[in-house]
Amino acid sequence: MRKSIILFLALTLVCGASAFAQGRKGLRINEVMVQNDSNYVDDYGQHQAWIELFNSTYAPMEISSVYITNDPAEPKKYPVPLGDVNTEIPTRQHVVFWADGEPNKGTFHLSFRLTPGQDNWIGVYDANGRTLIDSVTVPASLLPNTTYARAIDGEGLWEVRDGGDKYITPSSANQIVDTNGKVEMFAETDGHGFGLSLMAMLIVFFALALLCVCFYIISRVGASVSRRNKAASQGIDARQLPKEEKPQHDSGEEIAAIVMALNEHLNAHDRENTILTINKVRRAYSPWSSKIYNLRELPRR
């Protein structure tokens, strides 16, 4: 029994580690700036080269213990430290690492620098230091304050962005959507909004008509059940009687009169279960006559 439990725990650990590793395969290098003279600043207010990573999966991703490097011969150059809550990247979100060669400044400051004017290879390795998750070679022709980025987050071709028509987007989506296709379609086909207003009113009226039909059906079913119960109490079968001879449903006035008669004669209600009866207490009560307010000891001079 003990061996079975140990084997089960071992299999669970292996499966969990495998699933965790599979999730990290969705980590992508998304945008890189090699020479930063007047662009994005770090948490110390300085301009440094930076590397943006993107979580391309649809689940949060913990990237602590992965390795970031600029040398394929040294894959474990910078291990992302454990214990930092910010190393968990939310779904389809970004995180920026600063390539300033000063890891003592914090988790997101790498232990290496990028070199302007030459090709810069960047790789991300899994926790074992051997599995390459993603890599990119930034060309030497990249100008200062420009980035080498994917056209679409986590996928697509790489392109140079100079901040003009193609935005530089650290910690945000590479593809900025500033239009809404549905809104543009309505603007073209229904510029004054008459069609949209008519559609909204039709939806409201249809919903009200549907509610009326539902309430009517419920009331008819309730009346039929009430008549059947009334006929059963009189010992007759309502289904065998002609429609004009079937017992009718009691009106509200009749029910109120019966309830009032029961209350006056027996001081009781019928079988309704939502009635709250408050009876007046005959004996008057005053807190001044309660024993708890009496003197416990006679006063002394």
Side-chain angles (χ1 to χ4, degrees):
M1 181 66 181
R2 188 174 181 181
K3 291 182 179 179
S4 300
I5 295 175
I6 295 175
L7 181 61
F8 175 75
L9 293 176
L11 289 174
T12 304
L13 183 62
V14 170
C15 292
S18 176
F20 192 61
Q22 289 293 329
R24 281 182 169 173
K25 288 184 177 180
L27 186 63
R28 294 288 179 267
I29 301 172
N30 207 49
E31 190 170 5
V32 180
M33 177 174 284
V34 175
Q35 186 173 349
N36 182 6
D37 296 333
S38 59
N39 201 268
Y40 195 39
V41 297
D42 64 5
D43 43 353
Y44 290 87
Q46 298 179 355
H47 297 281
Q48 304 287 356
W50 49 268
I51 302 169
E52 180 191 70
L53 302 183
F54 175 68
N55 175 12
S56 64
T57 68
Y58 290 89
M61 180 187 298
E62 174 58 53
I63 63 169
S64 58
S65 75
V66 303
Y67 296 94
I68 305 175
T69 180
N70 65 340
D71 186 358
E74 192 179 351
K76 297 184 180 181
K77 200 163 191 179
Y78 179 74
V80 179
L82 296 168
D84 193 327
V85 296
N86 294 318
T87 56
E88 181 175 334
I89 309 177
T91 302
R92 308 286 296 178
Q93 294 300 316
H94 315 73
V95 65
V96 171
F97 284 86
W98 302 96
D100 55 4
E102 300 180 87
N104 59 318
K105 286 186 174 181
T107 300
F108 299 98
H109 292 262
L110 302 175
S111 58
F112 58 86
R113 296 176 180 270
L114 300 180
T115 306
Q118 70 178 40
D119 291 345
N120 285 271
W121 183 88
I122 302 169
V124 178
Y125 285 84
D126 207 347
N128 57 16
R130 297 186 300 273
T131 304
L132 180 64
I133 299 175
D134 193 22
S135 65
V136 65
T137 300
V138 183
S141 59
L142 190 67
L143 298 176
N145 299 313
T146 60
T147 62
Y148 195 56
R150 295 181 185 268
I152 303 174
D153 285 330
E155 60 186 42
L157 301 175
W158 288 82
E159 61 185 10
V160 176
R161 299 192 168 198
D162 57 3
D165 296 335
K166 297 180 178 179
Y167 301 109
I168 296 174
T169 57
S171 295
S172 59
N174 286 0
Q175 188 177 29
I176 299 177
V177 180
D178 53 1
T179 59
N180 190 317
K182 295 181 179 180
V183 173
E184 292 180 352
M185 181 190 68
F186 270 108
E188 292 177 0
T189 59
D190 186 23
H192 298 286
F194 296 124
L196 185 61
S197 301
L198 181 61
M199 186 184 301
M201 288 189 290
L202 287 176
I203 292 173
V204 173
F205 288 143
F206 177 77
L208 291 176
L210 184 61
L211 285 175
C212 289
V213 172
C214 292
F215 289 146
Y216 176 76
I217 294 174
I218 292 172
S219 65
R220 297 293 295 178
V221 171
S224 177
V225 172
S226 178
R227 281 195 300 268
R228 191 180 301 115
N229 293 337
K230 187 175 182 179
S233 66
Q234 297 175 6
I236 59 177
D237 189 356
R239 292 174 296 180
Q240 298 177 356
L241 295 176
K243 185 175 181 180
E244 61 273 5
E245 296 181 9
K246 290 182 179 180
Q248 298 297 319
H249 177 65
D250 294 330
S251 64
E253 290 81 1
E254 294 172 348
I255 295 174
I258 294 171
V259 172
M260 181 61 69
L262 288 172
N263 186 35
E264 292 293 333
H265 183 64
L266 302 175
N267 194 23
H269 293 288
D270 59 353
R271 294 185 178 180
E272 292 177 323
N273 58 1
T274 57
I275 300 298
L276 177 64
T277 302
I278 302 177
N279 294 324
K280 182 179 180 181
V281 179
R282 302 287 182 182
R283 181 175 58 85
Y285 171 79
S286 174
W288 300 107
S289 62
S290 178
K291 293 181 179 180
I292 63 174
Y293 294 101
N294 292 340
L295 293 175
R296 298 176 182 270
E297 187 177 348
L298 294 176
R300 296 180 182 180
R301 294 183 178 178

